[in-house]
Amino acid sequence: MSPSVSWKTRTKKATDGDWYASIAVKQYSPDVEGTRLVHIGDGSTAVRFDYQVQQGELIPLDDVVVNPPVSYHVSWLRLALELLLALMIIAFRPGSALYRYRFRAKDMRCVGSLGLVLALQIACIVGEWVLFGMKASPSGYGRMSTGMVVDFDQYADLANALLHGQISLNLPVNADLAAMSNPYDAASRIALGSTSLDCTPIFFDVAFVGGKYYCYFGILPALVLFAPYKLLTGNNLPAASAVLIFALLLACAAMALTVQIARLFARKGSPVSLGSVLLISSCILCALPLFYVLSSELFYQLPQTLALVFTFLGLSAWIESKLRGLSKPWLAAGSFLVACTLGCRPQFALSALLAVPLFAPEIAHLWIEGRASSKGLRAEIHTWLCALLPFAVVFIPLFAYNTARFGSPLDFGSNYNLTGYDMTHSSFPLTQMLPLTFLYFFQPPNLSTTFPFLLPTHQEMSTWLPMQASYGGYFALIAPFALVVAGWGSCKRVLRKRQLNMLCVSLAVIALGIYAINTHLVGFDIRYMLDFGWAIMLVAALCILAFDSYRVKSNDRGAGSNKHKRHLTCEAASTQLNPLRVRSRCVLGWVNVGLVLSCLGIFFYIFAVRNPGNDQLWWSVYSWFVFM
């Protein structure tokens, strides 16, 4: 990291009898010229710097200039970000023309606009990945302060094991660990690490059963990416590269699902505006929340990210099947993709339940036709086979894999994890769900008056829980725009009319169910929002489309509007929508404000979790706020 100097200032005016000390600690980097400026003001006639250094340390300071002439300087990065933020505010303001333009999936203006949003998202993903080290992120073994060792290449090791016909990881096992009666007790295991005569490391965050290490994370990331890479190149794929690949796939899958949801909503001629679709596509990655976990570039997020890819693509395929009159190939493809989530992150397999409200009318029709004739019965059986066989194709090998490792098809191995507490014998009180609910959803961000403005909050719980630092709750910082779900009751009529209200109910139940299971078992971590944030965002997306449908009726627009409509071309009449009602303008205006707040939160979070790889940029951005 760049060298830096920290100090506190004392100031005195002509009328002061003594020095007045500031509370804030100021800094500057000798490598970034803009950080050398110090704003004092307040009519001070004397300034004293109290440097915070150790005895014998060198202070890189040659001279102090009072009221120096400051040359005008343009930061192109800052200007670009400001223009992008302003463009987003203007484009999604309630009166924007985008909300008057009808969305059509084959309209080149719509395709181009969505392509631009996707390109910006890809640029943001790659940019954050580059800032946090790219391939230079941790690899190999890393020793923790407790003496435990983390295998940062756990997925590469799993791929190597599978390629050699093994299901256990080829990691050396400490003999004293294998002899423990309860190796899952973290306190005893940590003590063993300092007293064991065996110098073999004791690994962390791996399943340990029968004297062998296993990867309890989903197997599919190893099968679809790490193993093929090993076969093609002969080298291990760095986890950081897999993080980037899956994040880019997720951006594309999220865009595909956004388009499909818009088509589903508009399938019976109901208008959907381009503005609402662009707004949803801009929000969805923020709501997951992808950008808050991308910075770690560790293997932990890989099964969740790939599960999201499969979930989004599977739902997209199911919607396509519905739009094509229950197309069998698309139905089977969707079932296969959704089934694959079990091999990534088992919680996501609950997304399969969404098929019931999504295909409810088709299921009822098949039942009626099947009872009416033998031909209808054959069609019903064929459809059910297309829907269910892909689940069997995926689930049976996964269940066999679980049985071979842990003796049960439904045992995924998480209870055998050698982590910071005894997962096998722990049971957290349900009363902790109340503070955790506040922490996950409603905790206000911990804001500071100095850059990077966003500070971590370490919560104190009445009993021990696995707790990571929080920067703000889901609705308070991560995705304030998702508060649009509070207006669900106001748009139920529209959702029922389009047969989507039960889909919203199912998404809400899945989100709450996954949240309850996660928090009861594993406490708090921003990463766990990936497991349920997607479902909340899909409810929000449907609510946004519902509010977008509340428009001023043509006969309410005045007599002049009829005269004007006679002069519209057929093309314009088919693409232009009526203005939004006041209520809808207010709701979409809040979504726009929430998106801006979410983006600002992501921006400052990136600098709050400071990384040596982006140190120069950190100081450059720090210099933007020295005037404060």
Side-chain angles (χ1 to χ4, degrees):
M1 296 178 69
S2 302
S4 62
V5 181
S6 301
W7 73 88
K8 288 186 177 182
T9 57
R10 298 173 184 261
T11 59
K12 182 190 289 186
K13 297 191 288 288
T15 56
D16 294 336
D18 200 356
W19 295 93
Y20 285 83
S22 68
I23 298 176
V25 176
K26 296 293 185 179
Q27 303 178 78
Y28 84 87
S29 171
D31 295 338
V32 180
E33 189 67 25
T35 64
R36 294 173 177 262
L37 298 172
V38 183
H39 183 247
I40 300 296
D42 195 32
S44 300
T45 57
V47 181
R48 176 183 291 175
F49 296 98
D50 294 334
Y51 289 99
Q52 298 184 340
V53 294
Q54 300 295 325
Q55 183 69 30
E57 285 187 352
L58 179 66
I59 299 176
L61 182 66
D62 297 329
D63 195 10
V64 175
V65 180
V66 179
N67 296 327
V70 181
S71 59
Y72 185 77
H73 171 70
V74 176
S75 170
W76 295 108
L77 174 61
R78 178 172 59 186
L79 181 61
L81 292 175
E82 290 170 344
L83 289 175
L84 185 61
L85 193 64
L87 177 63
M88 184 168 63
I89 294 172
I90 295 171
F92 296 135
R93 73 191 191 279
S96 172
L98 292 174
Y99 297 118
R100 300 286 305 279
Y101 194 88
R102 184 189 294 266
F103 171 78
R104 286 190 175 89
K106 296 182 180 180
D107 187 321
M108 293 311 298
R109 292 182 183 179
C110 299
V111 172
S113 301
L114 291 171
L116 178 60
V117 172
L118 180 59
L120 288 173
Q121 291 174 336
I122 290 174
C124 290
I125 290 171
V126 174
E128 185 175 356
W129 183 76
V130 169
L131 286 178
F132 282 89
M134 301 183 290
K135 295 180 182 179
S137 295
S139 61
Y141 297 161
R143 184 168 293 275
M144 305 168 63
S145 60
T146 59
M148 303 293 102
V149 173
V150 179
D151 180 13
F152 292 115
D153 294 325
Q154 189 171 147
Y155 264 117
D157 291 339
L158 176 58
N160 291 333
L162 294 173
L163 291 173
H164 287 86
Q166 301 174 351
I167 56 176
S168 62
L169 299 175
N170 188 24
L171 299 176
V173 177
N174 185 292
D176 293 326
L177 173 70
M180 290 181 67
S181 59
N182 181 20
Y184 311 109
D185 176 31
S188 301
R189 197 169 66 249
I190 292 171
L192 178 67
S194 59
T195 60
S196 176
L197 298 178
D198 189 345
C199 296
T200 305
I202 298 175
F203 288 91
F204 184 81
D205 271 345
V206 286
F208 186 71
V209 178
K212 294 181 179 180
Y213 288 116
Y214 297 89
C215 178
Y216 76 92
F217 298 97
I219 189 176
L220 279 187
L223 290 178
V224 303
L225 189 59
F226 286 86
Y229 184 88
K230 180 72 173 184
L231 287 173
L232 291 174
T233 66
N235 300 317
N236 289 338
L237 177 69
S241 299
V243 167
L244 175 64
I245 293 170
F246 286 169
L248 294 177
L249 288 175
L250 178 55
C252 297
M255 183 61 72
L257 182 57
T258 300
V259 172
Q260 290 295 80
I261 289 175
R263 293 179 62 211
L264 177 66
F265 195 91
R267 67 188 184 281
K268 294 183 178 180
S270 305
V272 170
S273 72
L274 174 60
S276 64
V277 178
L278 290 174
L279 187 60
I280 293 169
S281 65
S282 300
C283 291
I284 192 166
L285 291 186
C286 299
L288 294 180
L290 177 64
F291 295 106
Y292 282 87
V293 300
L294 185 62
S295 59
S296 69
E297 299 192 1
L298 299 177
F299 70 91
Y300 292 99
Q301 62 187 281
L302 292 177
Q304 292 168 289
T305 310
L306 186 59
L308 280 168
V309 173
F310 283 133
T311 300
F312 285 1
L313 292 180
L315 292 177
S316 298
W318 274 348
I319 292 173
E320 187 66 25
S321 173
K322 185 180 181 72
L323 295 176
R324 290 174 180 250
L326 207 57
S327 165
K328 306 299 190 299
W330 283 106
L331 178 64
S335 296
F336 178 81
L337 290 166
V338 171
C340 285
T341 60
L342 189 71
C344 302
R345 183 83 165 171
Q347 293 93 317
F348 283 86
L350 290 175
S351 61
L353 299 177
L354 296 175
V356 176
L358 182 63
F359 292 111
E362 288 80 5
I363 293 173
H365 178 73
L366 285 172
W367 172 255
I368 295 172
E369 293 294 317
R371 294 187 63 184
S373 65
S374 58
K375 180 179 179 181
L377 180 61
R378 288 194 298 270
E380 181 182 11
I381 294 174
H382 184 210
T383 302
W384 280 108
L385 287 175
C386 289
L388 297 179
L389 274 181
F391 283 96
V393 169
V394 175
F395 282 12
I396 290 174
L398 291 176
F399 288 159
Y401 176 62
N402 287 344
T403 304
R405 293 184 302 163
F406 309 121
S408 171
L410 297 178
D411 192 342
F412 293 88
S414 59
N415 283 338
Y416 310 114
N417 182 21
L418 300 182
T419 187
Y421 66 105
D422 188 347
M423 289 189 68
T424 307
H425 303 97
S426 64
S427 179
F428 303 125
L430 292 176
T431 53
Q432 297 302 305
M433 295 289 289
L434 293 176
L436 284 171
T437 297
F438 169 78
L439 195 60
Y440 266 105
F441 293 105
F442 305 110
Q443 184 211 321
N446 185 6
L447 301 179
S448 169
T449 56
T450 56
F451 181 81
F453 306 112
L454 189 62
L455 300 178
T457 301
H458 299 275
Q459 298 290 345
E460 297 180 357
M461 306 296 286
S462 58
T463 58
W464 189 91
L465 287 171
M467 298 290 293
Q468 301 293 329
S470 168
Y471 288 85
Y474 187 84
F475 293 116
L477 174 71
I478 307 294
F481 49 80
L483 280 171
V484 70
V485 299
W488 181 2
S490 301
C491 53
K492 276 186 178 180
R493 183 177 61 82
V494 174
L495 293 171
R496 287 196 183 105
K497 182 178 179 181
R498 288 161 178 77
Q499 300 177 331
L500 294 173
N501 190 58
M502 287 308 299
L503 180 61
C504 285
V505 173
S506 302
L507 285 165
V509 170
I510 289 173
L512 291 175
I514 293 176
Y515 158 74
I517 294 171
N518 276 8
T519 52
H520 182 57
L521 295 178
V522 293
F524 177 85
D525 193 328
I526 293 178
R527 179 169 61 88
Y528 299 137
M529 292 185 186
L530 287 170
D531 294 336
F532 58 83
W534 65 274
I536 299 175
M537 180 59 217
L538 294 187
V539 176
L542 291 170
C543 288
I544 289 172
L545 292 175
F547 281 111
D548 180 69
S549 66
Y550 287 111
R551 297 183 174 273
V552 176
K553 295 181 180 179
S554 298
N555 55 7
D556 293 337
R557 297 171 61 186
S561 63
N562 292 327
K563 181 179 179 180
H564 175 67
K565 286 170 65 176
R566 297 191 192 101
H567 296 86
L568 291 174
T569 63
C570 294
E571 180 181 1
S574 64
T575 58
Q576 293 299 310
L577 303 175
N578 292 344
L580 293 168
R581 292 183 181 177
V582 174
R583 177 176 58 174
S584 297
R585 292 164 65 93
C586 292
V587 170
L588 295 179
W590 163 250
V591 175
N592 188 16
V593 171
L595 177 59
V596 171
L597 294 176
S598 177
C599 292
L600 290 175
I602 292 169
F603 178 80
F604 290 117
Y605 171 82
I606 289 173
F607 294 99
V609 288
R610 191 172 174 182
N611 183 282
N614 63 15
D615 189 62
Q616 193 77 6
L617 178 63
W618 192 96
W619 283 110
S620 297
V621 177
Y622 173 90
S623 69
W624 299 353
F625 303 97
V626 293
F627 71 93
M628 298 175 61

